[in-house]
Structure formats: structure tokens, C-alpha cells
Amino acid sequence: MPTLGTPFKTALLLSCALLLLHGCAQLPPQVFDADTWLYDATHPSAQTHSTISDPAIIQHAPLIVAQRTDQAFNRIGQPVVEGRGGELTISIGDDAAMFVERRDFQTTRGQYSNLIYRIHFSEVPLPFHLTAGKNSGLLFIVTVNGSGEPLLLTTVHTCGCYLAFFPTDYLPRAQWPDGWPQHRQQVFGKIVPSHLQYQRSDGRIAIVLSADTHRVVDAKVVVDALPFERRAMALLPMQRLRQLLYGSGTVSMFEERGWRRHYVKGSIKPWELLLMSWWTFDLWVGSDKDYGTSDADSGLFYTALAPWHQRASDMRDFPRFLTFWGWGL
């Protein structure tokens, strides 16, 4: 795992016992089965359902390789509202969608844009996975400079866990964290590339997810077709998650009041609550949440588990977040 200074080491020490429980210290070679799907937002049939016109968002939308899609919980979907017993519940339906938005930010080095992509699965299944729970999701953030060049891919689950960085060859190495590995990095037990290489400007990022836990297990830039069954994935505005159609009105995917305000409805993670909430000082640790811009529109989106680092590692303030983890953008 790359050396990122005191914040990273603290989080690592606090998490090591849980990583052993999770049982992923070493990985076998990647083997794909016949039920591996390639989700592609540029698939012709996806265009009829997409409502996004931003060319940069379309260009950099990552390809997602999902494994063991014979199991419904390994298929990307989109949230739907259901009425059960007089209560409204959120579940993840069959139609694949990637929810997107652009956020601009500035540092002392220049102006940048984050192209933010969000996907959801129906669940991480019980009982053998630490992150087991309903309506789980992931964020993929492509940071581009003023010239539109992709500098950095940031991947994280929508609970703020399993954060990973993939700098590209467009980002000068002087702006990488000290001691960043040359070829491979370890991200909480998963061995993945340490950077992405764009041999051609028309290359697209492909992200491989594991079955069941939906962890990122590989990322690369590709220019040729991948040998998997291709599936359409619509690009929809992020705001749609807060305005899901139901009857004659709309319902948010996120709780709008109470202790679980800003959390994905139905996203409680029982194992993480039991094993981690007491030392992270967070009753809802591991629960998927909204990714807003401030305390006014969402809760803390921290990426370091230690309570004294949670505010500094909050992804909503992206320049501070990058500084915390050692990046020099």
C-alpha cells in the first residue's frame, strides 16, 4: 500500500483487524466467467435513455466490467420507489444507469473539473461480507484540467470506504504523493495498478469490479473492444436521485429527516455497525450516503476512518481532501 504519511498510517492501523476479517489479503489471478458484462454509456440503446449532453462527461464515462451477473445483486441498476405496507421503500431495479454531474474547483495551481459518476447495486449479500447491506453504490470521479485532460481517477464506495486513486500520465509526477509506487498498489487488500496510461487521447477508462462486494479490482485505459457481453447504461443527472418518480410526485433516494438524514434509504450495514461504529464514533458507518457539497445539503463524506481525520478527509471539499491524501493538484 502506498505511503501517504501519518493520516494514512493511522487509518491503516485502525482498520487492519477488519481487513483480516474481510479475508482478501491475497488475490488469485483475475479470471472472468461467461456472465461478465461490460456496461457502456455509449451503447447505442443507452443514448435513447440518456439525458446528458455534456461532451466531457460522455467522453470520460468509465466502462464498468461487472462479474457474475447471473446473480441479480451483481448487476448495475437504478433506484425505484415501491409502496409496501403503507411505507415507501427504495430498491435497485433492472435498468442500468450511471448518475453524473460536473463540479468545478480551484487550487493554487489552477482550475479543475470533477466529472462525477455514481452507480448502485441492489445489495452486497449477507452473511460473509463486511460491507453486506442493501442499495450499495460506488463513485468514480475523473478530475480534468482546463484543457480537458484527465489527471486523476478517484474511486470510492458511496459510504466513503475503499478509497483508491489512479493518477494518469497527464498528471506530472511532482504532483503525486511522496513514495507513490511505480507499478502496483495495494488498496485494503486488493492489488491494483498504481496509475493509468493514455497511449491515445481517445482511450477510455475501464474499471473491473469484483463479484458480490463490488470492489474495484482493476482499472486500465482501453482503445479496443473488450471481450465481454456489452450492456447499455444510461447517463442521467445526479439530481434524479433526489427526484425519483412515484405516482404524481417524486421521492428522494436519501432520507430527508431524522438521524439518518442524507443516507440512502435502506442502506444500513449490520456488520459494520456492530464492528466499527464504536471506534469510528459513527453509528451509521458503512451506510451509503448522498455526496453533496456542504453541511447544508449532505452529511460528512469522510474517507479516513479515524475520528480526528474525518473532517480533513471529507470529499465534499475536494482541494482539502486532495491535500490530506498527499496530492499536489
Side-chain angles (χ1 to χ4, degrees):
M1 194 170 279
T3 300
L4 295 177
T6 301
F8 182 86
K9 292 177 181 177
T10 302
L12 176 62
L13 289 172
L14 289 171
S15 303
C16 62
L18 296 170
L19 292 175
L20 290 173
L21 172 67
H22 202 43
C24 56
Q26 294 188 0
L27 294 174
Q30 190 66 248
V31 177
F32 298 100
D33 59 31
D35 295 305
T36 298
W37 289 354
L38 175 68
Y39 286 97
D40 185 356
T42 65
H43 189 288
S45 64
Q47 304 304 304
T48 61
H49 300 286
S50 297
T51 59
I52 299 299
S53 59
D54 186 323
I57 287 180
I58 296 171
Q59 175 188 353
H60 294 293
L63 301 163
I64 307 299
V65 178
Q67 304 184 65
R68 286 182 51 193
T69 57
D70 55 316
Q71 300 285 342
F73 49 73
N74 288 321
R75 302 174 200 153
I76 299 172
Q78 60 177 295
V80 295
V81 185
E82 300 175 323
R84 293 179 179 174
E87 293 186 4
L88 298 183
T89 62
I90 300 295
S91 61
I92 305 302
D94 295 328
D95 297 328
M98 180 177 273
F99 297 88
V100 302
E101 68 177 314
R102 174 196 285 264
R103 294 185 191 175
D104 300 326
F105 68 95
Q106 183 174 359
T107 71
T108 56
R109 291 182 179 268
Q111 293 272 359
Y112 305 94
S113 294
N114 275 343
L115 311 178
I116 304 170
Y117 305 88
R118 181 171 183 144
I119 61 172
H120 274 273
F121 296 89
S122 61
E123 65 177 321
V124 171
L126 286 165
F128 301 115
H129 302 297
L130 174 65
T131 57
K134 301 289 187 181
N135 300 341
S136 54
L138 290 92
L139 286 171
F140 311 112
I141 300 176
V142 179
T143 302
V144 299
N145 60 17
S147 300
E149 297 169 329
L151 306 179
L152 180 68
L153 168 67
T154 305
T155 69
V156 66
H157 289 232
T158 51
C159 55
C161 52
Y162 298 126
L163 173 71
F165 296 104
F166 301 89
T168 80
D169 44 5
Y170 287 111
L171 182 64
R173 283 191 174 258
Q175 296 176 243
W176 297 20
D178 293 339
W180 194 261
Q182 284 192 328
H183 303 294
R184 310 290 289 180
Q185 60 174 314
Q186 184 179 164
V187 179
F188 293 99
K190 301 295 186 184
I191 308 299
V192 296
S194 63
H195 64 283
L196 302 176
Q197 291 183 306
Y198 277 85
Q199 296 180 359
R200 283 171 30 188
S201 59
D202 62 344
R204 296 183 63 191
I205 295 174
I207 299 172
V208 180
L209 304 182
S210 66
D212 303 350
T213 60
H214 316 131
R215 291 281 308 277
V216 173
V217 294
D218 200 2
K220 61 186 68 178
V221 178
V222 298
V223 293
D224 299 319
L226 295 174
F228 307 117
E229 182 176 343
R230 192 162 166 240
R231 290 283 173 146
M233 178 171 57
L235 291 179
L236 302 174
M238 196 74 70
Q239 185 60 27
R240 183 77 66 87
L241 294 174
R242 304 175 189 95
Q243 299 173 338
L244 303 174
L245 297 177
Y246 183 73
S248 59
T250 61
V251 175
S252 176
M253 184 184 189
F254 309 103
E255 299 286 359
E256 297 180 280
R257 59 184 62 86
W259 285 14
R260 283 183 51 82
R261 186 175 178 227
H262 305 308
Y263 286 93
V264 172
K265 292 173 179 173
S267 68
I268 294 174
K269 305 293 181 64
W271 290 122
E272 292 187 85
L273 188 154
L274 176 65
L275 297 171
M276 299 170 62
S277 61
W278 58 275
W279 59 267
T280 59
F281 299 163
D282 182 3
L283 183 62
W284 307 121
V285 62
S287 293
D288 299 86
K289 64 186 78 170
D290 198 354
Y291 176 43
T293 59
S294 68
D295 289 341
D297 64 1
S298 73
L300 199 67
F301 201 101
Y302 63 84
T303 54
L305 289 170
W308 50 91
H309 292 314
Q310 289 177 4
R311 177 63 65 174
S313 69
D314 184 358
M315 282 183 65
R316 298 174 306 171
D317 185 341
F318 210 76
R320 182 177 63 182
F321 160 81
L322 289 174
T323 299
F324 176 83
W325 288 111
W327 297 95
L329 277 74

